Amino acid sequence: GTGGGHAFSRDGGQTWSRTQSGLDRHYGWAVAADPERPEVWYLSASPGASKAHSENNAQAGIFRHDGARWLRLTGGLPQPLNHMPYALITDPAQPGHVYAGLSNGDIWHSADHGDHWRQLPVNLGGVHRSLIML
C-alpha cells in the first residue's frame, strides 16, 4: 500500500478506489453517507493518530466527497477542529442534514450538506470511539 488514506468500493468490496483529491488529512475516523444522494459522503480526518486522539489538538477537519473529490467543510466550523469528530451521523428523514459529535462533547449540525454549520446548545460531556446508528 501507499500508507494512510481512504478507500471506497462501489461493488460490494470486489474492487477498491482511492480518491485523495482535496483531502489534506490521512487519518480518517468517522464516515457517513447522505440517505438520498449516496455519492455524497462525509469524513472526519486528522493528520495522524497521535493528533486525532490528543487532548485539544486534533487538528481535524470534516470533509465531503461529491463522487469525484473531497472538499473541506468550513462554514462555521472552527479551523482546524481541536477535538476529533468521533461521530458523524446523517438523518434518513432529512437528507442533507449531518451531525458531528466531537470528542469534547460538542455537537455541530448542518442542514445543507455541510456548507454551513452551527453548534447545538448541548454538550454530551464527551463523545468516544463508538458506533451510532439510527
Side-chain angles (χ1 to χ4, degrees), residues 22-86:
L23 195 58
D24 66 352
R25 305 283 190 264
H26 69 272
Y27 185 79
W29 190 266
V31 67
D34 186 81
E36 198 169 78
R37 296 172 49 199
E39 75 278 8
V40 176
W41 303 349
Y42 304 94
L43 171 74
S44 66
S46 180
S50 63
K51 292 285 186 198
H53 307 300
S54 69
E55 187 66 34
N56 201 31
N57 191 27
Q59 297 181 19
I62 298 176
F63 299 82
R64 180 181 63 218
H65 192 273
D66 62 7
R69 65 189 243 4
W70 293 102
L71 174 67
R72 179 191 279 270
L73 302 176
T74 59
L77 288 171
Q79 296 298 313
L81 290 164
N82 289 328
H83 303 282
M84 189 66 184
Y86 281 138

Side-chain angles (χ1 to χ4, degrees), residues 77-119:
L77 288 171
Q79 296 298 313
L81 290 164
N82 289 328
H83 303 282
M84 189 66 184
Y86 281 138
L88 290 176
I89 303 170
T90 54
D91 186 343
Q94 295 182 299
H97 285 248
V98 61
Y99 297 85
L102 278 55
S103 62
N104 70 340
D106 288 345
I107 307 297
W108 288 78
H109 171 250
S110 172
D112 58 5
H113 294 96
D115 288 337
H116 302 93
W117 293 81
R118 68 180 180 91
Q119 186 175 355

